[in-house]
Amino acid sequence: VAWCCKGRKKDLNLQKICKDIAHYNPYGVSVLFFFSLRTKKGVRMKTSIHIQPIKPGSERHNNRTKKMGHVRSELSASNEKFILCQVYERLESIKAKYEAHTGQKMQKKATPIREGVVVIKKDTTMQQLMQFCRRCEEEFGIRAIQIYTHRDEGHFDASEWKPNYHAHIVFDWTDERTGKTIKLNKDHMSLMQTMLASSLDMERGLSSDRNHLGALEWKIAATEHNYPDYNKLRAAIKEFLGITPGNKL
């Protein structure tokens, strides 16, 4: 798209925007775009939370004991963390409660500990994230055992650093008394998104029912939804390139 716009005088504003467009299309489907548009004054950024069962190596990633190419170690000092307990400690405690209450061992496919990735702003505070976690405990009974903010991840666009501000929240997703997994439906998860936006003073973003998105695909989707002009810009690009409504961009 940036190449198509180069040298055209039909829409100078669109040409300027196109210089900042990069695309990623690993699956051969319609392209999802990253936009470097600046948030307009008075327009709040969007936030969302994507929750999935915690993965092995999560704590290494969150604590930065695992080296990663997209992390600038000189910025890691700006990260914050809250750790109530280690994941393995909580997992053993949950298993013991479950077995004591049911008389049987927890199934291997159970997901008692889950991790949420949250889109945040540069100035989002740990206090705001903890407020969200307290509301989740009051409303749903799930309890945060770890919270991390990451302000050192991103990528370079030419010589300009594009940060990816986000947080990780690790939840004990079980009944405190029985150790059984708490069941939340779509309405609960939708309410959680609203609670998050309110706690972080941001706009409500992606719907939480996108459970089966992979981590990379979700990050792409989260990035595009961070920009309020995404749909308008996409339509303008399609019009500029002469793409008909029936064709995908």
Side-chain angles (χ1 to χ4, degrees):
V1 176
W3 180 84
C4 291
C5 294
K6 187 177 180 180
R8 305 254 187 130
K9 295 184 179 180
K10 182 176 179 180
D11 190 330
L12 295 178
N13 186 50
L14 185 58
Q15 289 179 40
K16 181 177 183 298
I17 291 170
C18 284
K19 291 178 181 178
D20 289 333
I21 295 178
H23 68 271
Y24 180 78
N25 187 19
Y27 307 116
V29 296
S30 57
V31 175
L32 295 171
F33 290 92
F34 288 97
F35 294 99
S36 60
L37 297 175
R38 298 293 181 260
T39 303
K40 291 183 178 181
K41 186 176 181 181
V43 177
R44 295 188 299 175
M45 285 181 58
K46 292 182 179 180
T47 186
S48 58
I49 183 169
H50 171 66
I51 296 172
Q52 61 183 359
I54 194 166
K55 295 180 178 179
S58 170
E59 286 176 298
R60 289 181 60 208
H61 169 87
N62 291 336
N63 284 299
R64 294 301 187 243
T65 57
K66 178 181 179 182
K67 190 173 182 180
M68 292 165 288
H70 61 286
V71 170
R72 290 179 59 184
S73 57
E74 70 272 22
L75 299 178
S76 296
S78 63
N79 295 343
E80 297 177 276
K81 61 183 177 181
F82 161 81
I83 300 176
L84 181 63
C85 62
Q86 301 301 316
V87 170
Y88 79 90
E89 295 174 338
R90 181 53 63 96
L91 185 56
E92 290 304 310
S93 173
I94 292 170
K95 287 180 178 179
K97 281 188 291 186
Y98 182 87
E99 188 169 354
H101 183 77
T102 65
Q104 58 186 9
K105 291 186 177 181
M106 180 173 283
Q107 295 182 13
K108 289 184 178 180
K109 65 180 182 180
T111 56
I113 297 181
R114 304 182 189 185
E115 182 173 4
V117 181
V118 178
V119 178
I120 65 173
K121 298 180 295 184
K122 182 179 181 179
D123 59 353
T124 296
T125 67
M126 181 61 73
Q127 288 71 29
Q128 288 176 308
L129 291 166
M130 293 183 79
Q131 179 191 30
F132 166 67
C133 293
R134 285 193 295 270
R135 294 177 69 180
C136 285
E137 183 171 359
E138 293 169 0
E139 188 71 33
F140 311 120
I142 59 176
R143 300 172 302 288
I145 61 172
Q146 297 178 0
I147 306 172
Y148 303 86
T149 62
H150 288 164
R151 298 183 174 90
D152 54 357
E153 290 187 41
H155 69 281
F156 280 100
D157 182 0
S159 60
E160 185 179 359
W161 175 249
K162 303 288 187 180
N164 171 24
Y165 299 123
H166 63 279
H168 295 257
I169 303 176
V170 180
F171 290 100
D172 176 343
W173 208 273
T174 64
D175 183 279
E176 191 170 15
R177 184 178 60 86
T178 67
K180 291 184 176 182
T181 301
I182 292 173
K183 308 296 183 184
L184 299 183
N185 59 32
K186 278 189 175 183
D187 290 337
H188 292 138
M189 299 305 293
S190 179
L191 175 59
M192 185 184 293
Q193 298 284 351
T194 303
M195 288 163 48
L196 175 68
S198 173
S199 297
L200 302 191
D201 191 27
M202 296 173 70
E203 284 294 320
R204 190 185 189 286
L206 292 174
S207 173
S208 64
D209 61 4
R210 303 184 71 172
N211 293 325
H212 302 294
L213 280 178
L216 179 58
E217 189 177 355
W218 179 82
K219 285 181 179 180
I220 295 169
T223 300
E224 74 179 37
H225 277 263
N226 261 343
Y227 301 98
D229 287 342
Y230 169 73
N231 289 325
K232 181 187 292 186
L233 179 57
R234 179 172 170 146
I237 292 172
K238 290 178 74 171
E239 181 181 358
F240 182 78
L241 297 177
I243 298 175
T244 61
N247 293 330
K248 291 185 177 180
L249 179 59

